Amino acid sequence: MKKILLTGGAGYIGSHIAVALVDAGFEPIIVDNFSNSDRSVITAIESIVNRKITFHEADCCKFDSILKIIKEEKTIVGTIHLAAYKAVGESVEQPLKYYENNIGAMTSVIRAASESGLSNFVFSSSCTVYGTPEIQPVTEESPWQAAYSPYGYTKQVCERIMHDFQISKPNTKQVSLRYFNPIGAHPSGKIGELPLGKPNNLVPYLTQVAAGIREKLTIYGDDYNTADGTCVRDYIHVVDLAAAHVSALRFMMENNTSQLSVFNIGTGYGVSVKEIIDLFQEVNNMKVNVAYGARRKGDVEAIYANSEKANRELGWKAEYSTKDALKHAWNWQQNLQEK
Ligand code: NAD
Ligand code: WQD
């Protein structure tokens, strides 16, 4: 089995990638410091794939530790780098924490991989690099705007690092995947999003209200220039998102050209906040307590992906519907309650 270094592999998206890698015949080597995840996730991954998973507890900012892991594991053939902090609001309050961790981890992982002779590097970027786009859907060529948050800026800087690194080492193969809004959970209900404290994102907040953990969901603004007045996003099932990483690895391994490629990973359609709530209630046959509130500072009115490049070049497309994702999100929340 080909070994893949998977940083941040105990997290929400990383755990689903670990499963997708095993299903595709790769062996994930997880590196995580559990700063935003739990050790039990490793066991949960193992119970889905029915085999032992190798993991190393380490800080990705520490170059020597990452280099040592790559040397110990010997036959690693690629890297998927996810390890980062991701809370937009916290990044505004504690920018240095985000610059240090997200950019520090990027430079040390990319350097350790390169110094060990590894090519095939996948990075988890975000649609946040586009800011507030003027034209929908956004393509990979859509212009970037000044990042609203330090978190968003770290994604722009990390993509720039990949760009500069590619120029300095033209034989490298790199892919940056710009995720749109990942939601849902593994259909087994064994892994999913584990928000520590009050969730920032819509779907985990919604499932916590449905579960009675929070009193009500506030819709942040209904006076936007959209069909129903609420913001529009491209919600991608996390299992589909995970599959895109396997496609990206295969793309690099099967393609002779050394280059940096960028792909939007979304469904290609926009869904409003109100539609998410309605679909959630319909598919899970329940009523959720909702109130209208003021706009949230920094929110983008609407953004959804043109993912044709990923369809065409990676042979990847989203398979799950929004309804599937909302069903799986609720299934996961219910299982969490029972733990
Ligand atoms: P997550 O917090 O669940 O997972 C990140 C994992 O990285 C956690 O397990 C955390 O413990 C680990 N980590 C953080 N810093 C580390 C370090 N220095 N060393 C080792 N491990 C470290 O987040 P997620 O939602 O799974 O996001 C994964 C990646 O995808 C992140 O880079 C994030 O910015 C990016 N992304 C996420 C979203 C989203 O909405 N969830 C959207 C676009 C991009
Ligand atoms: C979605 C919509 C809210 C909570 C964030 C990051 C972005 C990317 C994905 C990493 C918005 C509305 C939310 C609530 C609400 N992450 N909402 N009530 O803001 O699109 O993107 O996660 O790269 O960088 O910014 O996602 O889930 O927070 O919000 O009405 O309680 O739901 O206003 O319109 P967002 P989100």
Side-chain angles (χ1 to χ4, degrees):
M1 271 172 130
K2 288 183 171 152
K3 290 184 180 177
I4 305 295
L5 187 74
L6 175 60
T7 76
Y12 171 44
I13 300 167
S15 54
H16 291 84
I17 297 175
V19 172
L21 284 172
V22 175
D23 287 349
F26 291 100
E27 185 184 348
I29 307 295
I30 293 180
V31 179
D32 205 298
N33 64 357
F34 301 110
S35 54
N36 196 38
S37 50
D38 196 88
R39 281 172 180 74
S40 61
V41 173
I42 306 292
T43 326
I45 299 169
E46 290 175 338
S47 91
I48 296 174
V49 298
N50 213 10
R51 65 191 294 276
K52 232 28 218 150
I53 293 290
T54 307
F55 90 92
H56 298 264
E57 185 169 349
D59 180 351
C60 289
C61 295
K62 300 209 165 110
F63 168 77
D64 292 343
S65 312
I66 305 305
L67 191 65
K68 188 162 167 270
I69 292 167
I70 298 175
K71 292 223 156 94
E72 262 172 37
E73 293 290 345
K74 289 192 183 81
T75 53
I76 294 178
V77 295
T79 308
I80 300 177
H81 175 55
L82 284 90
Y85 296 145
K86 63 165 179 180
V88 176
E90 187 188 61
S91 81
V92 175
E93 285 152 25
Q94 301 180 57
L96 299 187
K97 175 176 168 180
Y98 277 69
Y99 290 131
E100 212 169 86
N101 192 54
N102 295 8
I103 298 173
M106 180 70 172
T107 51
S108 81
V109 170
I110 215 166
R111 198 177 128 219
S114 162
E115 288 189 11
S116 315
L118 298 188
S119 190
N120 305 322
F121 186 89
V122 186
F123 173 63
S124 49
S125 188
S126 164
C127 64
T128 193
V129 298
Y130 298 115
T132 308
E134 276 164 24
I135 300 166
Q136 303 287 352
V138 287
T139 69
E140 290 79 1
E141 277 69 49
S142 298
W144 286 9
Q145 291 177 346
Y148 158 72
S149 68
Y151 167 77
Y153 191 49
T154 67
K155 292 298 176 195
Q156 294 184 339
V157 172
C158 286
E159 283 210 24
R160 176 63 200 251
I161 290 171
M162 294 175 87
H163 171 267
D164 294 346
F165 183 71
Q166 188 72 35
I167 292 171
S168 75
K169 292 254 183 320
N171 291 334
T172 312
K173 293 180 181 182
Q174 303 185 89
V175 167
S176 179
L177 299 179
R178 293 182 184 153
Y179 311 165
F180 280 64
N181 288 51
I183 59 165
H186 194 267
S188 66
K190 292 180 177 177
I191 51 173
E193 198 164 0
L194 262 181
L196 302 173
K198 198 167 151 191
N200 298 305
N201 299 114
L202 177 62
V203 173
Y205 206 103
L206 183 55
T207 59
Q208 288 199 2
V209 174
I213 300 168
R214 316 250 160 226
E215 194 201 330
K216 63 171 188 294
L217 175 81
T218 304
I219 297 178
Y220 296 140
D222 64 343
D223 57 351
Y224 284 97
N225 189 22
T226 58
D228 63 21
T230 65
C231 292
V232 168
R233 297 287 183 272
D234 186 329
Y235 295 95
I236 173 90
H237 195 300
V238 66
V239 171
D240 281 330
L241 174 60
H245 295 74
V246 173
S247 304
L249 282 176
R250 288 201 174 122
F251 167 79
M252 288 185 288
M253 289 170 177
E254 289 163 12
N255 197 332
N256 284 331
T257 354
S258 298
Q259 60 187 23
L260 164 61
S261 310
V262 178
F263 298 99
N264 283 343
I265 303 297
T267 61
Y269 51 86
V271 181
S272 75
V273 174
K274 204 169 166 305
E275 283 171 326
I276 286 286
I277 296 165
D278 291 345
L279 283 172
F280 182 88
Q281 296 186 136
E282 183 198 322
V283 76
N284 295 312
N285 198 21
M286 66 194 313
K287 197 93 195 102
V288 180
N289 193 12
V290 173
Y292 286 95
R295 290 182 177 199
R296 182 172 68 176
K297 202 170 155 233
D299 265 344
V300 170
E301 182 168 274
I303 181 164
Y304 58 96
N306 175 324
S307 284
E308 282 166 18
K309 189 179 173 207
N311 303 162
R312 203 173 52 242
E313 294 185 25
L314 299 182
W316 171 91
K317 71 175 174 45
E319 303 285 349
Y320 284 104
S321 67
T322 313
K323 279 190 183 177
D324 293 329
L326 294 171
K327 209 179 176 64
H328 295 152
W330 178 230
N331 183 35
W332 161 244
Q333 178 67 54
Q334 286 170 297
N335 289 352
L336 262 184
Q337 305 280 104
E338 285 163 17
K339 280 188 183 172

